[in-house]
Amino acid sequence: MNGSLTTEDMRVAIVAFYSCLLGLLALGLLMLLSGFEENRCSMTYMFEYPEYRRVVLPRRVSRLYPAYGLYLYGEGQYAQETQGFKLTGAPVLFLPGNAGSYKQARSLGSVALRKAEHLEGGVHLNVFTIDFNEELVALYGGSLRRQTLFLHESIKAILRLYKGLDNPPSSVALVGHSMGGVVARALFTLPRFSPRLVSLIITQASPHLAPVLSLDTHLLEFYSAVKQRWVGRGDSLQNVTVLSVGGGYRDYQVRSGLTVLPCPKGDFSKLSLVATAVPRTLSTDHLSIVWCKELVLATVRAFFDLIEPETGQLSEDPVRRRTAMNHHFIRHPVRLLDEPEETPILLSDSPEAWSEVNTLRLAYSTPKEGQSKYFLFALSSRRKAYSHFYCRSNNLEVTSWVYGCTQRNGSICVQAVDLSLGTELLPAYKVLTLSLEELSSFTHLVVSTSNLNGKQFTVECEWQRHVSQTISLGPHVLSFGLTVSDVTVNSSGLLHTVQLQHFHQVYQAFRITVASHCKHGKERLASVYRMKVPWFGEDSLLTASVPSVTEISGMLHTSRPDDTSSVLLQLHTAPNCQYKISVRTSFPKAGQVLRFCGPVLPVVHGVTLLLACGELSAVLKTGQSVELSQAVGGALQPIKVDLPVYLLHLLLGCDWFQEAWSTLQLPSVDSLPATSPDGTFHEGVALAEHWDRFLAPLLYAFGAAVAFWGSTLLSLFLRLFSLILAPLHRPSISRECFTLRVRTQIFLILLLSLLGWNSCGALSITAIFLLHLYKVLRLQMMERSLNHILNLAPQKHTETENASGHTEVLTKSKENSVPLLSESVLREVRSDLQLHLSLSALFTLPVMLSAPSLIHWTRNLRYSIQLDPDPCWPHTVPLLLSCVMLINWTSLKLRSSKFLPLTSYVLLPLAVAMVTFSPLHLYRVSYFLTTALVLLAVSSLV
């Protein structure tokens, strides 16, 4: 009785423990999917019905790529004018991404048409788009090279459409969404591709650094070739301008850290940033980044600024391209791109329009009546005491508004140099900060507040000292909101900087609260809070009224690559107000862990199932009964698995061990995903400095929770499904039920191998998996029938115990000498059921990892019966062999197996190897699990 209570208590404790883990995991997923602000991007609309006119390609191209197509976007009259493909605009080609539609180009095409209507000279864009048949190229890499080759053919076909022009284009600008951006960069890996055909690429939420999920070797080989071309031999591509825009935290499909462009150091033509850093743009999800009006406008304006008026085509000047991208996507100085810089200009007006400011701050609101007004600030008396001059204005439409005076006539500045180039747009106003060290050639600063059109606006300026306050944030990610850091800013100025010390890792998450309070209730300009990340373009801005309480989500997309910088919180504040800043550790860090380490969960999930299968087999071998959920519950052994992995990482830090490792030609050791902007771990830096060691046990716990509840749901599903199938099958209590003969096994192996060879390996894997599930269903129905019979039938036999304590399996009646049922038979059937449930759970993971190949094969079945290349074929035949042999495995055979003890010892090293070599190569999980299944299959025979 006491033992029974202890077992039941342990079961309750295990369920409670994994329920808590599941709740934490669910909360992390919730934070990952919806823990941020709602999508506030404006939608782009078409004012006329969109049309997609197919471009006729050469027969050779159509025959090689029957599933793909090239289209020209059009609307209304423009669509009618381009029916014959007589084009005169600048060509732009849109590339859809993973499962993306070619019709996603309508936002870019429609805004470009509307923009061209308001321009003189007939300059416009011809927007083309490619139909990639909505292939899942983020999960199946076999089509990536085929898409790249078709893109090359499409570019050549587009340029042929312009042959009759006096000034035909020599290149095509590319806009790639998601994997379309990766395919665009892969063009330059083709041996026959001329880099002159593409000089400008803009990518949207494209994972350049690494694939989101490395599910096959073809995907990783593709990425390796692209990286080798752009990094290893990237010096020849410095004239190609590439801009990568990440979506931000709303994009949970491609984290923004993966959108960093790998390139040689010093290549300034490659720009990477997050959408939140683009002037007046907010975070976008993975799909809305295509139609987000703010981003589409920035893209279209950049293209039109690059059009040469003489030719009507995009400029071939790399400096001009880089300047245009910086202008519209990074700083936006609120001035025309071609305006001259620092050229002397003449200022002339009546003396009444000029006023000299002798105070430290200017606050001026223009009257309703239009007038000319200039304010003069003397530099000589401020150089020693102050370091910067700060000015901001709302609703000021002119692009030139701050000047450096070079020549005065009394109280009037008659000649000056425009200093407004450094102006940048913020959500509420535009600001300009000037360093006094760079103004040595000027005597005064001039701020123009003229409003000749009568439009009202406000200008605020002040002298500043470059001083910042510091909040020390410890990397205590397990504090669960108990750690709070406060600082109070008495805002006598307009700009304050707070340094967030020790905030530099992606797994850190903070909730920053800014509470503003003002003594007087007069109307003020809104406050703007900016979290500035010096090592990557992932700044985020937030506007708040005064007074207010505002929460800022403090999380990073990339980790700091060095120890020279910290995250800054810039506060553009209202004067004479108090701002209290509180920084608290945020609970959504579970979402941060899933964002960066979520792809590792299949690995730890497989490790848990592997160890659970070994533990279940060991228990059943002793003749005891155990459920799969109990075995999975006891398989959480992070120390046994992680300790060897950690020791291996330490040994690899030794030169002699690393040389021996290389001599044996062993594969490189995987680690947690890289998070620095360059995508690499730095030489000689310990792993713990990038990710705390606590993350490994946390990931193991998450993986074990997924395995525990996954196996529980699988068992529940099969039990319910067996109830549905029960009326279709005759009740059977024979233990030989659904046992395959040797000839049948050989036939199945040959048939499914031939099927996989001629069609798709994943199809054969799925078929044998379903066959094994049917075996489990029959066992489930048999167990129910036996239990029902034993509950209803009278006890007509006796049970005796042998020397070992086991119960007789069968007894015979005196009447007909037919074996009668006993409780031991039911226990054996239940043991068989749990054994095959564990095998099904173990087999589920390779089936899930092969699903993208099966989906891709199904979608392209009308074009080709055979999947080429097939990433699942290398492990298809071993998986078929092991599964067919394991169908006949019983607990009786398990107890008599001589090879099983050796297999049980090998499963733990296999789990360690899986953690060592699979986090960045998920397809290897299938290899390791196949190896385990083959060993178990051998154990069923020997």
Side-chain angles (χ1 to χ4, degrees), residues 839-867:
L839 294 175
S840 296
L842 197 63
F843 198 56
T844 300
L845 202 51
V847 173
M848 293 177 63
L849 293 176
S850 65
S853 297
L854 182 60
I855 295 172
H856 183 275
W857 174 78
T858 305
R859 287 186 172 185
N860 289 271
L861 196 55
R862 58 176 175 169
Y863 303 111
S864 176
I865 298 178
Q866 186 178 23
L867 180 64

Side-chain angles (χ1 to χ4, degrees), residues 728-747:
L728 305 178
H729 292 78
R730 293 180 61 184
S732 173
I733 57 175
S734 172
R735 297 197 61 193
E736 300 298 322
C737 175
F738 200 68
T739 299
L740 302 179
R741 298 179 180 179
V742 176
R743 285 181 297 178
T744 306
Q745 289 178 319
I746 296 174
F747 174 75

Side-chain angles (χ1 to χ4, degrees), residues 213-217 220 599-610 670 841-850 875 879 910-911 913-933:
L213 295 173
S214 50
L215 295 182
D216 62 60
T217 56
L220 289 175
V600 184
L601 285 182
V603 179
V604 290
H605 177 202
V607 166
T608 305
L609 291 177
L610 201 60
D670 288 355
L842 197 63
F843 198 56
T844 300
L845 202 51
V847 173
M848 293 177 63
L849 293 176
S850 65
H875 63 276
L879 211 52
L910 266 180
M914 190 188 302
V915 174
T916 304
F917 299 108
S918 299
L920 302 181
H921 302 77
L922 286 182
Y923 64 90
R924 292 177 180 170
V925 172
S926 297
Y927 297 165
F928 286 111
L929 295 182
T930 301
T931 303
L933 288 169

Side-chain angles (χ1 to χ4, degrees), residues 687-743:
L687 182 65
E689 291 186 17
H690 293 270
W691 290 89
D692 278 2
R693 292 308 304 171
F694 95 95
L695 282 181
L698 183 62
L699 289 174
Y700 286 126
F702 281 163
V706 173
F708 179 84
W709 291 109
S711 59
T712 303
L713 289 176
L714 177 64
S715 178
L716 180 62
F717 168 77
L718 292 175
R719 181 172 297 181
L720 294 176
F721 198 62
S722 67
L723 288 173
I724 299 174
L725 290 182
L728 305 178
H729 292 78
R730 293 180 61 184
S732 173
I733 57 175
S734 172
R735 297 197 61 193
E736 300 298 322
C737 175
F738 200 68
T739 299
L740 302 179
R741 298 179 180 179
V742 176
R743 285 181 297 178

Side-chain angles (χ1 to χ4, degrees), residues 280 334 366 392-399 401 425-431 449-451 453-459 523 525:
R280 298 191 175 180
V334 203
T366 58
R392 68 188 183 194
S393 173
N394 69 331
N395 298 327
L396 179 60
E397 295 180 347
V398 295
T399 59
W401 61 301
L425 278 178
L426 295 183
Y429 31 71
K430 59 183 182 181
V431 301
T449 59
S450 301
N451 64 330
N453 57 2
K455 187 172 183 178
Q456 292 183 288
F457 55 86
T458 300
V459 174
E523 186 177 351
L525 291 180

Side-chain angles (χ1 to χ4, degrees), residues 202-242:
I202 297 178
T203 67
Q204 303 165 336
S206 298
H208 296 293
L209 208 55
V212 177
L213 295 173
S214 50
L215 295 182
D216 62 60
T217 56
H218 308 292
L219 192 61
L220 289 175
E221 288 170 358
F222 185 84
Y223 266 85
S224 178
V226 174
K227 184 176 181 180
Q228 175 63 27
R229 180 67 178 94
W230 285 87
V231 179
R233 297 179 288 123
D235 294 338
S236 60
L237 301 178
Q238 293 193 0
N239 288 334
V240 181
T241 304
V242 186

Side-chain angles (χ1 to χ4, degrees), residues 111-117 119 122-125 298-308 314 320 328:
V111 172
L113 286 175
R114 302 286 84 79
K115 174 75 173 176
E117 290 176 355
L119 297 178
V123 294
H124 63 282
L125 301 178
T299 304
V300 170
R301 288 166 179 164
F303 280 139
F304 275 94
D305 279 350
L306 288 175
I307 293 179
E308 300 284 0
L314 297 178
R320 181 179 173 86
H328 290 282

